[in-house]
């Protein structure tokens, strides 16, 4: 049936190729992108052909036989691979003119993250970070309320037991620990809620438990505790802001993270159609990588 003359037709979905076929690719990226209607999952490519086929078949698309084939079947690429792989392959995709849906951190280290961010800037392709909490209405409400506060200090944590075993205990997470995996989320929230972080230092073991102390340009000081190796019934993310007025608390315990995916998908598609990245782009990813590098215990 043709749409009524006064009803604008829905824009064509953004054709997205997925790189990766691990647990996170299956449970989040593929499911989100295939659900639409703003996006269409057009192909999946992974190092293991069999894994790519399994994900592709589950979501009614095809497995690409090579990365080049995947790039030929899409206008945007989503990455669900370790940081070192993303940093290398995303540069190739950007040079091919593809929009990028990027995981955090951008790369395993600052030079690789900077190379990716610079390529994105030079090519002008749209980029967006999968900082999942940022797409929840409760997070946006928290940040809006924080903007009106005079914050003098903050404390926060992101804790779970995923690295003790199971799908999250991947090789790169066990090697680099909570700082690279969980740190981007918490540093992003503190930088946005308290104000730009001027300096950060870390103590502890990134693979077991690490404490961060951030000095903000406003003069405020914040602290963050990070671990993926503690036995908890569920992940715990909490930010507490303090000042001369009331305390403001952000806690994800009661949040339904399924709310995030449709928002993320719609905003990425809108950015690709408009040709303009949101604030959560590769440049933001580089900013977070700079802070992560400062935080590495000396």
């Amino acid at each position: 049936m043709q749409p009524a003359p006064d009803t604008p037709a829905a824009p064509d979905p953004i054709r997205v190729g997925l790189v990766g076929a691990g647990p996170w690719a299956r449970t989040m990226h593929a499911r989100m992108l295939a659900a639409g209607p703003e996006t269409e999952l057009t192909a999946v490519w992974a190092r293991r052909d069999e894994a790519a086929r399994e994900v592709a078949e589950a979501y009614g698309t095809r497995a690409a036989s090579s990365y080049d084939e995947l790039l030929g079947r899409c206008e945007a690429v989503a990455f669900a691979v370790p940081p070192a792989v993303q940093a290398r392959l995303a540069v190739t995709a950007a040079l091919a003119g593809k929009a990028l849906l990027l995981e955090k951190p951008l790369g395993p280290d600052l030079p690789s993250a900077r190379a990716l961010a610079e390529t994105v800037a030079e090519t002008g392709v749209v980029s967006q970070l999968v900082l999942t909490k940022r797409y929840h209405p409760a997070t946006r409400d928290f940040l809006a309320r924080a903007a009106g506060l005079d914050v003098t200090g903050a404390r926060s944590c992101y804790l779970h037991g995923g690295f003790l075993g199971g799908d999250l205990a991947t090789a790169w997470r066990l090697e680099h620990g909570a700082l690279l995996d969980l740190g981007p989320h918490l540093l992003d929230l503190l930088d946005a809620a308290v104000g730009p972080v001027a300096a950060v230092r870390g103590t502890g073991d990134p693979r077991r438990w690490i404490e961060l102390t951030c000095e903000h340009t406003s003069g405020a000081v914040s602290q963050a505790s990070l671990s993926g190796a503690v036995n908890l019934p569920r992940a715990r993310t909490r930010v507490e802001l303090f000042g001369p007025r009331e305390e403001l608390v952000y806690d994800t315990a009661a949040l339904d993270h399924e709310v995030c995916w449709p928002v993320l998908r719609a905003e990425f598609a809108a950015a690709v159609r408009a040709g303009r990245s949101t604030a959560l782009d590769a440049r933001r990813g580089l900013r977070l990588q700079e802070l992560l590098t400062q935080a590495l215990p000396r």
Side-chain angles (χ1 to χ4, degrees):
M1 179 181 295
Q2 296 295 322
D6 59 345
T7 302
D12 292 334
I14 301 299
R15 296 176 292 109
V16 186
L18 173 61
V19 176
W24 191 235
R26 292 194 305 268
T27 60
M28 195 288 281
H29 288 77
R31 180 166 63 93
M32 174 186 71
L33 296 168
E38 303 91 350
T39 57
E40 175 188 359
L41 182 61
T42 57
V44 178
W45 177 79
R47 181 177 56 85
R48 293 190 302 114
D49 292 341
E50 181 181 352
R53 284 196 299 271
E54 289 178 359
V55 174
E57 290 172 2
Y59 292 97
T61 188
R62 68 177 67 204
S65 60
S66 67
Y67 186 49
D68 285 342
E69 181 188 340
L70 179 115
L71 293 179
R73 294 187 177 279
C74 66
E75 57 192 301
V77 183
F79 293 88
V81 289
V85 180
Q86 171 175 271
R88 175 170 53 87
L89 294 182
V91 165
T92 302
L95 292 173
K98 309 301 179 181
L100 309 175
L101 187 60
L102 298 163
E103 273 293 346
K104 48 71 202 162
L106 286 188
D109 51 37
L110 185 55
S112 62
R114 181 174 290 119
L116 173 52
E118 288 177 350
T119 301
V120 169
E122 291 166 1
T123 58
V125 299
V126 168
S127 62
Q128 188 164 315
L129 294 173
V130 181
L131 286 167
T132 51
K133 294 173 178 57
R134 280 289 212 119
Y135 300 96
H136 199 289
T139 308
R140 294 178 172 185
D141 178 66
F142 164 73
L143 293 177
R145 294 172 64 191
L149 295 180
D150 177 13
V151 179
T152 55
R155 61 187 184 188
S156 63
C157 69
Y158 192 173
L159 310 170
H160 65 58
F163 299 174
L164 297 175
D167 288 343
L168 288 181
T170 57
W172 81 266
R173 288 187 173 97
L174 296 180
E175 177 183 356
H176 296 287
L179 181 61
L180 281 191
D181 187 41
L182 309 182
H185 290 288
L186 215 48
L187 285 170
D188 171 63
L189 290 173
L190 291 172
D191 189 76
V194 182
V197 176
V200 57
R201 60 185 182 274
T203 57
D205 182 351
R207 289 163 295 189
R208 298 179 66 236
W209 186 290
I210 184 167
E211 293 283 342
L212 308 182
T213 299
C214 303
E215 299 175 11
H216 298 258
T217 56
S218 64
V221 176
S222 64
Q223 293 181 316
S225 302
L226 297 165
S227 181
V230 291
N231 191 353
L232 290 173
R234 60 180 301 173
R236 181 178 304 168
T237 305
R238 185 176 174 90
V239 180
E240 302 170 342
L241 306 182
F242 303 95
R245 295 166 59 188
E246 73 276 10
E247 172 190 13
L248 180 61
V249 176
Y250 168 78
D251 195 319
T252 65
L255 298 187
D256 179 4
H257 282 77
E258 288 297 314
V259 173
C260 303
W261 314 135
V263 178
L264 192 164
R265 180 181 61 236
E267 293 188 357
F268 179 60
V272 175
R273 290 190 185 105
R276 294 190 301 273
S277 300
T278 69
L280 298 178
D281 59 0
R283 182 172 54 181
R284 180 62 173 171
L286 178 58
R287 160 77 174 154
L288 296 177
Q289 194 100 34
E290 290 169 346
L291 296 178
L292 293 171
T293 302
Q294 284 189 40
L296 284 169
R298 300 295 187 261

